[in-house]
Amino acid sequence: MTAFPLPEPMRRALALAKDAARDGEVPVGAVVTGPDGKIIAEAANAMRTANDPTAHAEMVAIRAAAEKLGTSRLDGCTLWVSLEPCAMCAGAIAMARIARLAFAAEDPKGGAILHGARFFNQPTCHHRPEVMSGIGEEEAALLLRDFFRDRR
């Protein structure tokens, strides 16, 4: 079996997840790339450090990308995340009109893309990005397992 190299944006999202873990945050990293594939924004989870329950990596990266592009619509952009987004983040992805979502590890407990609410499958969801999962899954899952094991 041939292993394919991870795309640069996912490698960066995983590096940001490692940084988050080092800072005591749940290890999640997110990167937004523009239509040309270049990174335009990135973030790590910052809920504890910012005392902000909405400071998920995805939310912070989406806000930064919108600020940089000067628009609330991230048409043609891709969001790369180390963990399956929750319902809040899925809502933001849809509202921002992100074209593609790529995530590493599935989250059976808190994810809302392939699990739980399955946000993009709901009839009330007005925008559904292309979804790619499992990209860098082993590394992301190991980061999460180690993080939570060390806290128990």
Side-chain angles (χ1 to χ4, degrees):
M1 182 174 165
T2 304
F4 295 99
L6 284 178
E8 174 57 30
M10 187 58 81
R11 281 199 311 270
R12 183 66 188 138
L14 290 166
L16 290 161
K18 289 177 189 172
D19 292 346
R22 187 188 61 242
D23 294 340
E25 297 280 355
V26 174
V28 179
V31 169
V32 178
T33 54
D36 61 0
K38 292 182 181 173
I39 294 174
I40 57 174
E42 60 182 39
N45 264 0
M47 295 176 298
R48 288 172 179 77
T49 55
N51 295 317
D52 179 356
T54 70
H56 291 198
E58 302 96 308
M59 299 293 287
V60 178
I62 289 169
R63 287 182 193 128
E67 175 85 16
K68 183 169 186 173
L69 296 177
T71 179
S72 62
R73 293 227 173 166
L74 303 180
D75 297 316
C77 292
T78 302
L79 177 63
W80 302 80
V81 189
S82 60
L83 183 64
E84 177 180 354
C86 70
M88 173 183 68
C89 295
I93 291 164
M95 296 302 275
R97 304 299 196 262
I98 290 174
R100 287 164 300 284
L101 166 65
F103 65 88
E106 292 184 17
D107 185 358
K109 184 177 177 183
I113 308 303
L114 301 179
H115 299 89
R118 298 178 193 263
F119 190 90
F120 301 133
N121 294 338
Q122 300 306 313
T124 54
C125 180
H126 300 294
H127 173 77
R128 293 165 181 83
E130 175 186 348
V131 176
M132 301 163 282
S133 64
I135 303 168
E137 181 174 17
E138 289 179 29
E139 185 175 346
L142 181 61
L143 276 169
L144 288 157
R145 275 194 304 273
D146 289 349
F147 178 82
F148 287 110
R149 182 195 65 231
D150 294 345
R151 276 147 185 77
R152 289 186 177 124

